[in-house]
Amino acid sequence: MSNYGNYYGVPADKSYESGVVPVWLEVKERKVAGGTVDLTGVAAGTLIPLGIPVSLKTMGGEAKFLETYTVEAPVAASGTSLKIKPLNGIVPKAGMIVGKCDADGKAAKAVALSGTPSVSNGVYTFTITAGDLGELSKGDKLYIVSEAGDNKVAVLPDGLSWRQIHVEAEGGKGTVAVVTKGQILGDRISAVPDFYKAAMPGITFEYETA
């Protein structure tokens, strides 16, 4: 499993570096074994950044990137169109349940995405039922939540992804190693909400700017 963090089929000695700028200051502990991630819909040549919150419950099992999706157009209470853009390039898929969470990771409303979205300039447009998400403003963040019923809470991470993933060909699966204890520069990864940080007490986030 030495190639965790790469795409299947990439030689173990082939690496993709982001340059000499460090992101992890220290990695103290990782999950004993990494997991596989579904990269269906992610275009060839995409470089998925490191430091993404990941849910991984079993050794070598399915790992889920807990992507953040930015709302790209306001949604009225009666709106039926949802335009979202992934922060880290993880494609939203039918069946995924998303909602706007409060500071505790709870969502008043959530929706299970369905159908095939239209895609333009990295923005995915889904048709939703009026009222499913209430009113949303451009720039609001949506997170993956556990279900669309009464228990609408964010799925919590077990750690952060250790390395980048370079997608060699569209579709298929990749592998990811998950850091559970370490120190990372928070300014150099995508923003991680506080309710995710609280679920990863072993990871220290250091910041270069206030």
Side-chain angles (χ1 to χ4, degrees):
M1 296 185 177
S2 61
N3 71 328
Y4 273 166
N6 293 321
Y7 188 79
Y8 278 130
V10 178
D13 61 351
K14 186 175 183 180
S15 63
Y16 298 87
E17 301 295 338
S18 57
V20 296
V21 179
V23 179
W24 283 106
L25 296 175
E26 184 178 19
V27 174
K28 296 179 180 179
E29 185 177 293
R30 289 177 286 141
K31 283 275 191 177
V32 174
T36 60
V37 288
D38 183 3
L39 297 175
T40 301
V42 181
T46 299
L47 190 63
I48 297 173
L50 57 82
I52 302 175
V54 180
S55 172
L56 176 62
K57 303 305 181 186
T58 58
M59 294 172 57
E62 180 185 5
K64 295 182 180 179
F65 280 126
L66 302 182
E67 178 66 290
T68 298
Y69 296 99
T70 302
V71 177
E72 292 295 310
V75 179
S78 59
T80 58
S81 178
L82 175 65
K83 296 179 181 292
I84 55 177
K85 187 172 185 176
L87 197 61
N88 297 292
I90 307 302
V91 175
K93 301 180 179 67
M96 184 181 288
I97 303 171
V98 297
K100 180 182 176 181
C101 294
D102 62 18
D104 296 320
K106 297 178 181 179
K109 292 179 177 289
V111 63
L113 301 177
S114 62
T116 301
S118 61
V119 186
S120 177
N121 296 321
V123 176
Y124 295 76
T125 302
F126 288 88
T127 299
I128 60 174
T129 301
D132 274 356
L133 286 173
E135 293 185 1
L136 296 174
S137 301
K138 182 177 180 180
D140 280 348
K141 300 294 189 289
L142 301 184
Y143 300 94
I144 298 172
V145 301
S146 58
E147 58 182 84
D150 295 330
N151 187 32
K152 296 183 283 291
V153 295
V155 176
L156 296 177
D158 295 294
L160 297 178
S161 58
W162 182 29
R163 293 176 174 169
Q164 306 166 104
I165 296 178
H166 185 273
V167 180
E168 292 287 305
E170 185 174 348
K173 291 184 179 294
T175 58
V176 63
V178 180
V179 177
T180 55
K181 290 184 181 180
Q183 190 176 26
I184 195 167
L185 289 170
D187 298 301
R188 302 185 184 187
I189 61 174
S190 296
V192 177
D194 288 342
F195 54 84
Y196 281 172
K197 291 179 181 178
M200 302 180 290
I203 296 180
T204 301
F205 293 80
E206 300 289 352
Y207 291 92
E208 299 161 281
T209 58

PDB file of all heavy atoms in Angstrom, residues 36-76:
ATOM      1  N   THR A  36      -9.889   3.131  -0.310  1.00  0.00           N
ATOM      2  CA  THR A  36     -10.110   3.427  -1.720  1.00  0.00           C
ATOM      3  C   THR A  36     -11.169   4.518  -1.848  1.00  0.00           C
ATOM      4  O   THR A  36     -12.109   4.587  -1.054  1.00  0.00           O
ATOM      5  CB  THR A  36     -10.574   2.178  -2.494  1.00  0.00           C
ATOM      6  OG1 THR A  36     -11.809   1.699  -1.921  1.00  0.00           O
ATOM      7  CG2 THR A  36      -9.529   1.084  -2.417  1.00  0.00           C
ATOM      8  N   VAL A  37     -10.994   5.367  -2.835  1.00  0.00           N
ATOM      9  CA  VAL A  37     -11.947   6.456  -3.071  1.00  0.00           C
ATOM     10  C   VAL A  37     -12.494   6.370  -4.486  1.00  0.00           C
ATOM     11  O   VAL A  37     -11.767   6.051  -5.421  1.00  0.00           O
ATOM     12  CB  VAL A  37     -11.297   7.838  -2.836  1.00  0.00           C
ATOM     13  CG1 VAL A  37     -11.066   8.067  -1.365  1.00  0.00           C
ATOM     14  CG2 VAL A  37     -10.000   7.986  -3.608  1.00  0.00           C
ATOM     15  N   ASP A  38     -13.778   6.642  -4.606  1.00  0.00           N
ATOM     16  CA  ASP A  38     -14.437   6.625  -5.908  1.00  0.00           C
ATOM     17  C   ASP A  38     -14.164   7.945  -6.608  1.00  0.00           C
ATOM     18  O   ASP A  38     -14.506   9.012  -6.095  1.00  0.00           O
ATOM     19  CB  ASP A  38     -15.939   6.426  -5.707  1.00  0.00           C
ATOM     20  CG  ASP A  38     -16.704   6.334  -7.023  1.00  0.00           C
ATOM     21  OD1 ASP A  38     -16.066   6.373  -8.093  1.00  0.00           O
ATOM     22  OD2 ASP A  38     -17.941   6.235  -6.968  1.00  0.00           O
ATOM     23  N   LEU A  39     -13.528   7.890  -7.774  1.00  0.00           N
ATOM     24  CA  LEU A  39     -13.186   9.098  -8.521  1.00  0.00           C
ATOM     25  C   LEU A  39     -14.015   9.241  -9.796  1.00  0.00           C
ATOM     26  O   LEU A  39     -13.625   9.942 -10.720  1.00  0.00           O
ATOM     27  CB  LEU A  39     -11.693   9.082  -8.870  1.00  0.00           C
ATOM     28  CG  LEU A  39     -10.747   9.093  -7.661  1.00  0.00           C
ATOM     29  CD1 LEU A  39      -9.307   8.942  -8.113  1.00  0.00           C
ATOM     30  CD2 LEU A  39     -10.924  10.355  -6.843  1.00  0.00           C
ATOM     31  N   THR A  40     -15.171   8.582  -9.816  1.00  0.00           N
ATOM     32  CA  THR A  40     -16.052   8.676 -10.975  1.00  0.00           C
ATOM     33  C   THR A  40     -16.393  10.138 -11.259  1.00  0.00           C
ATOM     34  O   THR A  40     -16.778  10.884 -10.359  1.00  0.00           O
ATOM     35  CB  THR A  40     -17.357   7.898 -10.724  1.00  0.00           C
ATOM     36  OG1 THR A  40     -17.040   6.531 -10.463  1.00  0.00           O
ATOM     37  CG2 THR A  40     -18.273   7.983 -11.930  1.00  0.00           C
ATOM     38  N   GLY A  41     -16.219  10.548 -12.508  1.00  0.00           N
ATOM     39  CA  GLY A  41     -16.566  11.896 -12.912  1.00  0.00           C
ATOM     40  C   GLY A  41     -15.453  12.909 -12.753  1.00  0.00           C
ATOM     41  O   GLY A  41     -15.566  14.028 -13.245  1.00  0.00           O
ATOM     42  N   VAL A  42     -14.362  12.522 -12.081  1.00  0.00           N
ATOM     43  CA  VAL A  42     -13.232  13.438 -11.918  1.00  0.00           C
ATOM     44  C   VAL A  42     -12.367  13.359 -13.171  1.00  0.00           C
ATOM     45  O   VAL A  42     -11.935  12.279 -13.569  1.00  0.00           O
ATOM     46  CB  VAL A  42     -12.393  13.083 -10.674  1.00  0.00           C
ATOM     47  CG1 VAL A  42     -11.240  14.054 -10.511  1.00  0.00           C
ATOM     48  CG2 VAL A  42     -13.272  13.091  -9.427  1.00  0.00           C
ATOM     49  N   ALA A  43     -12.122  14.487 -13.798  1.00  0.00           N
ATOM     50  CA  ALA A  43     -11.437  14.510 -15.089  1.00  0.00           C
ATOM     51  C   ALA A  43      -9.982  14.078 -14.976  1.00  0.00           C
ATOM     52  O   ALA A  43      -9.323  14.336 -13.964  1.00  0.00           O
ATOM     53  CB  ALA A  43     -11.504  15.913 -15.682  1.00  0.00           C
ATOM     54  N   ALA A  44      -9.499  13.428 -16.031  1.00  0.00           N
ATOM     55  CA  ALA A  44      -8.096  13.042 -16.092  1.00  0.00           C
ATOM     56  C   ALA A  44      -7.226  14.296 -15.999  1.00  0.00           C
ATOM     57  O   ALA A  44      -7.543  15.332 -16.575  1.00  0.00           O
ATOM     58  CB  ALA A  44      -7.810  12.308 -17.398  1.00  0.00           C
ATOM     59  N   GLY A  45      -6.132  14.193 -15.259  1.00  0.00           N
ATOM     60  CA  GLY A  45      -5.237  15.316 -15.077  1.00  0.00           C
ATOM     61  C   GLY A  45      -5.527  16.133 -13.833  1.00  0.00           C
ATOM     62  O   GLY A  45      -4.734  16.995 -13.451  1.00  0.00           O
ATOM     63  N   THR A  46      -6.655  15.858 -13.193  1.00  0.00           N
ATOM     64  CA  THR A  46      -7.008  16.586 -11.972  1.00  0.00           C
ATOM     65  C   THR A  46      -6.043  16.224 -10.849  1.00  0.00           C
ATOM     66  O   THR A  46      -5.692  15.055 -10.664  1.00  0.00           O
ATOM     67  CB  THR A  46      -8.444  16.248 -11.532  1.00  0.00           C
ATOM     68  OG1 THR A  46      -9.355  16.648 -12.562  1.00  0.00           O
ATOM     69  CG2 THR A  46      -8.810  16.953 -10.230  1.00  0.00           C
ATOM     70  N   LEU A  47      -5.616  17.207 -10.110  1.00  0.00           N
ATOM     71  CA  LEU A  47      -4.781  16.988  -8.942  1.00  0.00           C
ATOM     72  C   LEU A  47      -5.615  17.323  -7.711  1.00  0.00           C
ATOM     73  O   LEU A  47      -5.883  18.489  -7.432  1.00  0.00           O
ATOM     74  CB  LEU A  47      -3.521  17.855  -8.995  1.00  0.00           C
ATOM     75  CG  LEU A  47      -2.442  17.546  -7.952  1.00  0.00           C
ATOM     76  CD1 LEU A  47      -1.885  16.145  -8.145  1.00  0.00           C
ATOM     77  CD2 LEU A  47      -1.320  18.575  -8.019  1.00  0.00           C
ATOM     78  N   ILE A  48      -6.055  16.291  -7.010  1.00  0.00           N
ATOM     79  CA  ILE A  48      -6.868  16.489  -5.811  1.00  0.00           C
ATOM     80  C   ILE A  48      -5.930  16.828  -4.656  1.00  0.00           C
ATOM     81  O   ILE A  48      -5.005  16.071  -4.368  1.00  0.00           O
ATOM     82  CB  ILE A  48      -7.688  15.229  -5.494  1.00  0.00           C
ATOM     83  CG1 ILE A  48      -8.670  14.958  -6.640  1.00  0.00           C
ATOM     84  CG2 ILE A  48      -8.442  15.387  -4.179  1.00  0.00           C
ATOM     85  CD1 ILE A  48      -9.412  13.651  -6.524  1.00  0.00           C
ATOM     86  N   PRO A  49      -6.136  17.949  -4.008  1.00  0.00           N
ATOM     87  CA  PRO A  49      -5.187  18.381  -2.980  1.00  0.00           C
ATOM     88  C   PRO A  49      -5.215  17.516  -1.734  1.00  0.00           C
ATOM     89  O   PRO A  49      -6.149  16.736  -1.511  1.00  0.00           O
ATOM     90  CB  PRO A  49      -5.657  19.808  -2.659  1.00  0.00           C
ATOM     91  CG  PRO A  49      -7.110  19.807  -3.002  1.00  0.00           C
ATOM     92  CD  PRO A  49      -7.247  18.897  -4.185  1.00  0.00           C
ATOM     93  N   LEU A  50      -4.180  17.652  -0.926  1.00  0.00           N
ATOM     94  CA  LEU A  50      -4.130  16.940   0.351  1.00  0.00           C
ATOM     95  C   LEU A  50      -4.840  17.770   1.419  1.00  0.00           C
ATOM     96  O   LEU A  50      -5.267  18.896   1.183  1.00  0.00           O
ATOM     97  CB  LEU A  50      -2.678  16.669   0.751  1.00  0.00           C
ATOM     98  CG  LEU A  50      -1.723  17.857   0.877  1.00  0.00           C
ATOM     99  CD1 LEU A  50      -1.853  18.562   2.210  1.00  0.00           C
ATOM    100  CD2 LEU A  50      -0.280  17.389   0.685  1.00  0.00           C
ATOM    101  N   GLY A  51      -4.981  17.170   2.606  1.00  0.00           N
ATOM    102  CA  GLY A  51      -5.588  17.886   3.720  1.00  0.00           C
ATOM    103  C   GLY A  51      -7.096  17.959   3.670  1.00  0.00           C
ATOM    104  O   GLY A  51      -7.702  18.802   4.315  1.00  0.00           O
ATOM    105  N   ILE A  52      -7.726  17.035   2.919  1.00  0.00           N
ATOM    106  CA  ILE A  52      -9.186  16.989   2.848  1.00  0.00           C
ATOM    107  C   ILE A  52      -9.700  16.083   3.978  1.00  0.00           C
ATOM    108  O   ILE A  52      -9.159  14.996   4.189  1.00  0.00           O
ATOM    109  CB  ILE A  52      -9.668  16.440   1.501  1.00  0.00           C
ATOM    110  CG1 ILE A  52      -9.122  17.285   0.351  1.00  0.00           C
ATOM    111  CG2 ILE A  52     -11.195  16.405   1.445  1.00  0.00           C
ATOM    112  CD1 ILE A  52      -9.455  16.717  -1.023  1.00  0.00           C
ATOM    113  N   PRO A  53     -10.748  16.485   4.706  1.00  0.00           N
ATOM    114  CA  PRO A  53     -11.328  15.592   5.712  1.00  0.00           C
ATOM    115  C   PRO A  53     -11.823  14.297   5.075  1.00  0.00           C
ATOM    116  O   PRO A  53     -12.450  14.318   4.012  1.00  0.00           O
ATOM    117  CB  PRO A  53     -12.490  16.416   6.280  1.00  0.00           C
ATOM    118  CG  PRO A  53     -12.095  17.836   6.032  1.00  0.00           C
ATOM    119  CD  PRO A  53     -11.383  17.814   4.712  1.00  0.00           C
ATOM    120  N   VAL A  54     -11.513  13.175   5.730  1.00  0.00           N
ATOM    121  CA  VAL A  54     -11.843  11.859   5.187  1.00  0.00           C
ATOM    122  C   VAL A  54     -12.510  11.008   6.260  1.00  0.00           C
ATOM    123  O   VAL A  54     -12.074  10.981   7.412  1.00  0.00           O
ATOM    124  CB  VAL A  54     -10.582  11.115   4.691  1.00  0.00           C
ATOM    125  CG1 VAL A  54     -10.953   9.744   4.121  1.00  0.00           C
ATOM    126  CG2 VAL A  54      -9.848  11.937   3.642  1.00  0.00           C
ATOM    127  N   SER A  55     -13.553  10.302   5.859  1.00  0.00           N
ATOM    128  CA  SER A  55     -14.176   9.293   6.721  1.00  0.00           C
ATOM    129  C   SER A  55     -13.715   7.926   6.238  1.00  0.00           C
ATOM    130  O   SER A  55     -13.906   7.571   5.077  1.00  0.00           O
ATOM    131  CB  SER A  55     -15.710   9.392   6.637  1.00  0.00           C
ATOM    132  OG  SER A  55     -16.317   8.320   7.323  1.00  0.00           O
ATOM    133  N   LEU A  56     -13.065   7.159   7.133  1.00  0.00           N
ATOM    134  CA  LEU A  56     -12.572   5.816   6.797  1.00  0.00           C
ATOM    135  C   LEU A  56     -12.760   4.927   8.018  1.00  0.00           C
ATOM    136  O   LEU A  56     -12.076   5.094   9.025  1.00  0.00           O
ATOM    137  CB  LEU A  56     -11.098   5.861   6.389  1.00  0.00           C
ATOM    138  CG  LEU A  56     -10.434   4.512   6.097  1.00  0.00           C
ATOM    139  CD1 LEU A  56     -11.109   3.813   4.928  1.00  0.00           C
ATOM    140  CD2 LEU A  56      -8.940   4.690   5.812  1.00  0.00           C
ATOM    141  N   LYS A  57     -13.688   3.986   7.931  1.00  0.00           N
ATOM    142  CA  LYS A  57     -14.065   3.191   9.095  1.00  0.00           C
ATOM    143  C   LYS A  57     -13.383   1.835   9.180  1.00  0.00           C
ATOM    144  O   LYS A  57     -13.291   1.254  10.259  1.00  0.00           O
ATOM    145  CB  LYS A  57     -15.588   2.994   9.109  1.00  0.00           C
ATOM    146  CG  LYS A  57     -16.377   4.294   9.111  1.00  0.00           C
ATOM    147  CD  LYS A  57     -15.973   5.202  10.273  1.00  0.00           C
ATOM    148  CE  LYS A  57     -16.770   6.500  10.288  1.00  0.00           C
ATOM    149  NZ  LYS A  57     -16.277   7.436  11.325  1.00  0.00           N
ATOM    150  N   THR A  58     -12.921   1.293   8.044  1.00  0.00           N
ATOM    151  CA  THR A  58     -12.313  -0.034   8.069  1.00  0.00           C
ATOM    152  C   THR A  58     -10.989  -0.024   7.319  1.00  0.00           C
ATOM    153  O   THR A  58     -10.791   0.757   6.381  1.00  0.00           O
ATOM    154  CB  THR A  58     -13.241  -1.089   7.429  1.00  0.00           C
ATOM    155  OG1 THR A  58     -13.529  -0.709   6.073  1.00  0.00           O
ATOM    156  CG2 THR A  58     -14.544  -1.205   8.211  1.00  0.00           C
ATOM    157  N   MET A  59     -10.065  -0.923   7.704  1.00  0.00           N
ATOM    158  CA  MET A  59      -8.763  -1.022   7.056  1.00  0.00           C
ATOM    159  C   MET A  59      -8.927  -1.395   5.585  1.00  0.00           C
ATOM    160  O   MET A  59      -9.527  -2.419   5.268  1.00  0.00           O
ATOM    161  CB  MET A  59      -7.907  -2.068   7.766  1.00  0.00           C
ATOM    162  CG  MET A  59      -7.528  -1.712   9.180  1.00  0.00           C
ATOM    163  SD  MET A  59      -6.707  -3.078  10.049  1.00  0.00           S
ATOM    164  CE  MET A  59      -5.325  -3.389   8.944  1.00  0.00           C
ATOM    165  N   GLY A  60      -8.422  -0.558   4.710  1.00  0.00           N
ATOM    166  CA  GLY A  60      -8.507  -0.841   3.288  1.00  0.00           C
ATOM    167  C   GLY A  60      -9.891  -0.703   2.702  1.00  0.00           C
ATOM    168  O   GLY A  60     -10.122  -1.070   1.550  1.00  0.00           O
ATOM    169  N   GLY A  61     -10.846  -0.146   3.478  1.00  0.00           N
ATOM    170  CA  GLY A  61     -12.221  -0.036   3.013  1.00  0.00           C
ATOM    171  C   GLY A  61     -12.476   1.211   2.201  1.00  0.00           C
ATOM    172  O   GLY A  61     -11.549   1.882   1.734  1.00  0.00           O
ATOM    173  N   GLU A  62     -13.741   1.528   2.056  1.00  0.00           N
ATOM    174  CA  GLU A  62     -14.122   2.705   1.282  1.00  0.00           C
ATOM    175  C   GLU A  62     -13.867   3.968   2.093  1.00  0.00           C
ATOM    176  O   GLU A  62     -14.332   4.099   3.228  1.00  0.00           O
ATOM    177  CB  GLU A  62     -15.593   2.642   0.891  1.00  0.00           C
ATOM    178  CG  GLU A  62     -16.049   3.847   0.074  1.00  0.00           C
ATOM    179  CD  GLU A  62     -17.539   3.844  -0.207  1.00  0.00           C
ATOM    180  OE1 GLU A  62     -18.248   2.956   0.314  1.00  0.00           O
ATOM    181  OE2 GLU A  62     -17.992   4.741  -0.941  1.00  0.00           O
ATOM    182  N   ALA A  63     -13.137   4.865   1.511  1.00  0.00           N
ATOM    183  CA  ALA A  63     -12.884   6.164   2.139  1.00  0.00           C
ATOM    184  C   ALA A  63     -13.782   7.200   1.472  1.00  0.00           C
ATOM    185  O   ALA A  63     -13.964   7.181   0.256  1.00  0.00           O
ATOM    186  CB  ALA A  63     -11.420   6.563   1.988  1.00  0.00           C
ATOM    187  N   LYS A  64     -14.328   8.095   2.272  1.00  0.00           N
ATOM    188  CA  LYS A  64     -15.198   9.132   1.739  1.00  0.00           C
ATOM    189  C   LYS A  64     -14.581  10.503   1.997  1.00  0.00           C
ATOM    190  O   LYS A  64     -14.346  10.874   3.146  1.00  0.00           O
ATOM    191  CB  LYS A  64     -16.579   9.053   2.389  1.00  0.00           C
ATOM    192  CG  LYS A  64     -17.346   7.784   2.059  1.00  0.00           C
ATOM    193  CD  LYS A  64     -18.724   7.789   2.704  1.00  0.00           C
ATOM    194  CE  LYS A  64     -19.495   6.515   2.361  1.00  0.00           C
ATOM    195  NZ  LYS A  64     -20.837   6.493   2.995  1.00  0.00           N
ATOM    196  N   PHE A  65     -14.304  11.218   0.907  1.00  0.00           N
ATOM    197  CA  PHE A  65     -13.875  12.599   1.043  1.00  0.00           C
ATOM    198  C   PHE A  65     -15.085  13.426   1.485  1.00  0.00           C
ATOM    199  O   PHE A  65     -16.131  13.400   0.834  1.00  0.00           O
ATOM    200  CB  PHE A  65     -13.358  13.149  -0.287  1.00  0.00           C
ATOM    201  CG  PHE A  65     -11.957  12.739  -0.613  1.00  0.00           C
ATOM    202  CD1 PHE A  65     -11.664  12.118  -1.815  1.00  0.00           C
ATOM    203  CD2 PHE A  65     -10.921  12.998   0.265  1.00  0.00           C
ATOM    204  CE1 PHE A  65     -10.365  11.745  -2.132  1.00  0.00           C
ATOM    205  CE2 PHE A  65      -9.611  12.638  -0.046  1.00  0.00           C
ATOM    206  CZ  PHE A  65      -9.337  12.011  -1.240  1.00  0.00           C
ATOM    207  N   LEU A  66     -14.942  14.149   2.575  1.00  0.00           N
ATOM    208  CA  LEU A  66     -16.036  14.991   3.052  1.00  0.00           C
ATOM    209  C   LEU A  66     -15.875  16.380   2.441  1.00  0.00           C
ATOM    210  O   LEU A  66     -15.421  17.325   3.082  1.00  0.00           O
ATOM    211  CB  LEU A  66     -16.039  15.019   4.580  1.00  0.00           C
ATOM    212  CG  LEU A  66     -16.174  13.633   5.237  1.00  0.00           C
ATOM    213  CD1 LEU A  66     -16.230  13.747   6.744  1.00  0.00           C
ATOM    214  CD2 LEU A  66     -17.412  12.896   4.707  1.00  0.00           C
ATOM    215  N   GLU A  67     -16.251  16.444   1.198  1.00  0.00           N
ATOM    216  CA  GLU A  67     -16.078  17.652   0.402  1.00  0.00           C
ATOM    217  C   GLU A  67     -16.975  18.780   0.892  1.00  0.00           C
ATOM    218  O   GLU A  67     -18.048  18.546   1.463  1.00  0.00           O
ATOM    219  CB  GLU A  67     -16.376  17.339  -1.066  1.00  0.00           C
ATOM    220  CG  GLU A  67     -16.278  18.496  -2.025  1.00  0.00           C
ATOM    221  CD  GLU A  67     -14.866  19.047  -2.170  1.00  0.00           C
ATOM    222  OE1 GLU A  67     -14.379  19.666  -1.205  1.00  0.00           O
ATOM    223  OE2 GLU A  67     -14.258  18.871  -3.249  1.00  0.00           O
ATOM    224  N   THR A  68     -16.519  19.999   0.666  1.00  0.00           N
ATOM    225  CA  THR A  68     -17.322  21.197   0.893  1.00  0.00           C
ATOM    226  C   THR A  68     -17.787  21.707  -0.465  1.00  0.00           C
ATOM    227  O   THR A  68     -16.984  21.797  -1.399  1.00  0.00           O
ATOM    228  CB  THR A  68     -16.492  22.294   1.599  1.00  0.00           C
ATOM    229  OG1 THR A  68     -16.076  21.815   2.878  1.00  0.00           O
ATOM    230  CG2 THR A  68     -17.312  23.559   1.787  1.00  0.00           C
ATOM    231  N   TYR A  69     -19.080  22.018  -0.561  1.00  0.00           N
ATOM    232  CA  TYR A  69     -19.631  22.522  -1.824  1.00  0.00           C
ATOM    233  C   TYR A  69     -20.117  23.957  -1.620  1.00  0.00           C
ATOM    234  O   TYR A  69     -20.889  24.241  -0.703  1.00  0.00           O
ATOM    235  CB  TYR A  69     -20.782  21.628  -2.305  1.00  0.00           C
ATOM    236  CG  TYR A  69     -20.312  20.230  -2.627  1.00  0.00           C
ATOM    237  CD1 TYR A  69     -20.467  19.194  -1.710  1.00  0.00           C
ATOM    238  CD2 TYR A  69     -19.665  19.961  -3.824  1.00  0.00           C
ATOM    239  CE1 TYR A  69     -20.005  17.920  -1.990  1.00  0.00           C
ATOM    240  CE2 TYR A  69     -19.198  18.683  -4.114  1.00  0.00           C
ATOM    241  CZ  TYR A  69     -19.362  17.675  -3.189  1.00  0.00           C
ATOM    242  OH  TYR A  69     -18.890  16.414  -3.461  1.00  0.00           O
ATOM    243  N   THR A  70     -19.637  24.849  -2.474  1.00  0.00           N
ATOM    244  CA  THR A  70     -20.007  26.255  -2.387  1.00  0.00           C
ATOM    245  C   THR A  70     -21.216  26.533  -3.272  1.00  0.00           C
ATOM    246  O   THR A  70     -21.248  26.127  -4.438  1.00  0.00           O
ATOM    247  CB  THR A  70     -18.837  27.151  -2.837  1.00  0.00           C
ATOM    248  OG1 THR A  70     -17.696  26.885  -2.021  1.00  0.00           O
ATOM    249  CG2 THR A  70     -19.204  28.624  -2.706  1.00  0.00           C
ATOM    250  N   VAL A  71     -22.217  27.202  -2.702  1.00  0.00           N
ATOM    251  CA  VAL A  71     -23.410  27.578  -3.456  1.00  0.00           C
ATOM    252  C   VAL A  71     -23.039  28.720  -4.406  1.00  0.00           C
ATOM    253  O   VAL A  71     -22.520  29.753  -3.982  1.00  0.00           O
ATOM    254  CB  VAL A  71     -24.540  28.018  -2.503  1.00  0.00           C
ATOM    255  CG1 VAL A  71     -25.756  28.490  -3.299  1.00  0.00           C
ATOM    256  CG2 VAL A  71     -24.925  26.857  -1.578  1.00  0.00           C
ATOM    257  N   GLU A  72     -23.284  28.523  -5.703  1.00  0.00           N
ATOM    258  CA  GLU A  72     -22.851  29.473  -6.720  1.00  0.00           C
ATOM    259  C   GLU A  72     -23.940  30.444  -7.160  1.00  0.00           C
ATOM    260  O   GLU A  72     -23.654  31.402  -7.888  1.00  0.00           O
ATOM    261  CB  GLU A  72     -22.329  28.715  -7.944  1.00  0.00           C
ATOM    262  CG  GLU A  72     -21.037  27.964  -7.691  1.00  0.00           C
ATOM    263  CD  GLU A  72     -19.867  28.895  -7.388  1.00  0.00           C
ATOM    264  OE1 GLU A  72     -19.659  29.844  -8.162  1.00  0.00           O
ATOM    265  OE2 GLU A  72     -19.188  28.680  -6.367  1.00  0.00           O
ATOM    266  N   ALA A  73     -25.168  30.226  -6.742  1.00  0.00           N
ATOM    267  CA  ALA A  73     -26.266  31.138  -7.076  1.00  0.00           C
ATOM    268  C   ALA A  73     -27.295  31.058  -5.961  1.00  0.00           C
ATOM    269  O   ALA A  73     -27.519  29.982  -5.387  1.00  0.00           O
ATOM    270  CB  ALA A  73     -26.898  30.770  -8.417  1.00  0.00           C
ATOM    271  N   PRO A  74     -27.925  32.182  -5.610  1.00  0.00           N
ATOM    272  CA  PRO A  74     -28.918  32.167  -4.532  1.00  0.00           C
ATOM    273  C   PRO A  74     -30.048  31.181  -4.821  1.00  0.00           C
ATOM    274  O   PRO A  74     -30.424  30.953  -5.973  1.00  0.00           O
ATOM    275  CB  PRO A  74     -29.442  33.615  -4.517  1.00  0.00           C
ATOM    276  CG  PRO A  74     -28.377  34.425  -5.180  1.00  0.00           C
ATOM    277  CD  PRO A  74     -27.759  33.528  -6.207  1.00  0.00           C
ATOM    278  N   VAL A  75     -30.573  30.594  -3.748  1.00  0.00           N
ATOM    279  CA  VAL A  75     -31.713  29.685  -3.856  1.00  0.00           C
ATOM    280  C   VAL A  75     -32.845  30.259  -3.010  1.00  0.00           C
ATOM    281  O   VAL A  75     -32.685  30.440  -1.800  1.00  0.00           O
ATOM    282  CB  VAL A  75     -31.369  28.261  -3.369  1.00  0.00           C
ATOM    283  CG1 VAL A  75     -32.601  27.355  -3.473  1.00  0.00           C
ATOM    284  CG2 VAL A  75     -30.204  27.682  -4.165  1.00  0.00           C
ATOM    285  N   ALA A  76     -33.968  30.570  -3.647  1.00  0.00           N
ATOM    286  CA  ALA A  76     -35.130  31.074  -2.923  1.00  0.00           C
ATOM    287  C   ALA A  76     -35.815  29.909  -2.209  1.00  0.00           C
ATOM    288  O   ALA A  76     -35.564  28.734  -2.513  1.00  0.00           O
ATOM    289  CB  ALA A  76     -36.094  31.751  -3.887  1.00  0.00           C
TER     290      ALA A  76
END
